[in-house]
Amino acid sequence: WMAEHTRFPNSMVDRITPVTTPDVIELLATDFGVDDQWPVAAEPFTSWVLEDSFSDGRPAFEDVDVLLVEDVTPYELMKLRLLNAGHQALCYFAYLAGYRLVADAAGDPLFAKFLLDYMDSEATPTLQPVPGIDLPAFKRTALERFANPGVRDTIARLCFGSSDRIPKWLLPVIRENLESGAPIELSAAVVASWARYAEGVDEQGEPIDVQDQLADTLVPLAKSQLQHPTAFIENTDVFGDLATKQRFVDAYLRALDSLHQHGAR
């Protein structure tokens, strides 16, 4: 009966919404006179893409700027490989260099250029056509969103749970580009920045609290890198067979060596 009479429309939502912090509660009370113990702070940007597949009519979602489409997949890949993987391309380098807020790091022209170069040269070629979306505008807007000081998103939040995020958002970009012969230098550098971050100490010598479900496995591997440079990427549970792909390994080792010798900047 369910197969015949029901639909389960796929959807993609996009809005940066950090965890509630005490300063948000205080701001709402002092500036607006509202006493709310769990206000939700969010960026102005919002996007909802919805598969137009309903069993008995639907509300006029398009009247409130919902994008109705036949297939959500291209929009989901756009978000995951540009915005989400973009967060990973920023966070480890930024944390190592001493940044703690996303807006501060994204406002640094050097970090912003790295992000845009990753999006343009490595992520975008792996995307499917995305009807109704201006991709160059989406990428420019993504950088503006990251640099929004009002959101006060933390770099630590972006670094959380990397072993769940990187394999879903970034490694597919690397694998597709390896197969097609496209560039992988920047993506490999992002993986190297994660490996360097997972060593558990930043460039100022301060300890890093690596929050990851696989931290007990990954942190010791990262700490062994000075003696065994490919130890981190040889974890097949996370990286599969990438450590056997010489073009990736070469790019990864160049970036990891540069991080150790010269630092994130």
Side-chain angles (χ1 to χ4, degrees), residues 53-135:
S53 177
F54 294 82
S55 58
D56 189 24
R58 60 167 175 77
F61 288 116
E62 63 270 24
D63 291 347
V64 288
D65 296 326
V66 179
L67 185 60
L68 279 299
V69 301
E70 288 186 11
D71 182 10
V72 172
T73 302
Y75 303 87
E76 184 178 38
L77 290 176
M78 173 189 71
K79 176 180 181 285
L80 296 181
R81 297 184 180 186
L82 295 178
L83 190 87
N84 294 59
H87 268 152
Q88 308 316 117
L90 174 71
C91 65
Y92 312 109
F93 283 115
Y95 198 99
L96 290 167
Y99 285 113
R100 295 297 179 263
L101 291 177
V102 177
D104 293 340
D108 185 319
L110 183 65
F111 287 83
K113 183 179 187 305
F114 180 85
L115 273 175
L116 191 58
D117 285 348
Y118 157 75
M119 292 180 185
D120 284 342
S121 66
E122 298 188 15
T124 300
T126 73
L127 301 180
Q128 301 173 12
V130 194
I133 299 294
D134 181 340
L135 274 180

Side-chain angles (χ1 to χ4, degrees), residues 26-252:
E26 182 180 350
L27 175 73
L28 203 62
T30 56
D31 288 13
F32 299 95
V34 176
D35 182 18
D36 185 338
Q37 293 307 297
W38 212 303
V40 178
E43 63 175 338
F45 180 93
T46 182
S47 172
W48 185 10
V49 180
L50 183 60
E51 181 185 4
D52 197 356
S53 177
F54 294 82
S55 58
D56 189 24
R58 60 167 175 77
F61 288 116
E62 63 270 24
D63 291 347
V64 288
D65 296 326
V66 179
L67 185 60
L68 279 299
V69 301
E70 288 186 11
D71 182 10
V72 172
T73 302
Y75 303 87
E76 184 178 38
L77 290 176
M78 173 189 71
K79 176 180 181 285
L80 296 181
R81 297 184 180 186
L82 295 178
L83 190 87
N84 294 59
H87 268 152
Q88 308 316 117
L90 174 71
C91 65
Y92 312 109
F93 283 115
Y95 198 99
L96 290 167
Y99 285 113
R100 295 297 179 263
L101 291 177
V102 177
D104 293 340
D108 185 319
L110 183 65
F111 287 83
K113 183 179 187 305
F114 180 85
L115 273 175
L116 191 58
D117 285 348
Y118 157 75
M119 292 180 185
D120 284 342
S121 66
E122 298 188 15
T124 300
T126 73
L127 301 180
Q128 301 173 12
V130 194
I133 299 294
D134 181 340
L135 274 180
F138 180 88
K139 288 181 279 190
R140 288 195 306 272
T141 301
L143 290 174
E144 293 168 2
R145 294 165 63 192
F146 291 174
N148 180 353
V151 177
R152 295 193 64 78
D153 201 3
T154 66
I155 290 171
R157 182 187 77 84
L158 304 189
C159 295
F160 181 89
S162 301
S163 66
D164 189 47
R165 298 177 175 196
I166 292 284
K168 293 176 182 175
W169 303 342
L170 184 69
L171 298 191
V173 172
I174 293 173
R175 290 194 176 94
E176 288 192 27
N177 285 337
L178 282 172
E179 188 172 333
S180 69
I184 56 152
E185 292 285 333
L186 304 183
S187 301
V190 175
V191 175
S193 72
W194 174 30
R196 169 63 185 86
Y197 170 89
E199 291 175 9
V201 60
D202 68 13
E203 292 176 5
Q204 290 72 44
E206 296 296 323
I208 298 172
D209 182 15
V210 179
Q211 292 289 318
D212 193 288
Q213 60 186 357
L214 298 182
D216 290 346
T217 299
L218 294 175
V219 170
L221 288 174
K223 288 182 175 180
S224 73
Q225 291 178 133
L226 289 175
Q227 292 74 39
H228 183 30
T230 57
F232 195 77
I233 57 172
E234 287 175 9
N235 184 315
T236 55
D237 289 341
V238 175
F239 294 100
D241 65 350
L242 275 180
T244 69
K245 308 295 184 183
Q246 197 59 47
R247 187 157 73 93
F248 168 74
V249 173
D250 290 345
Y252 169 82

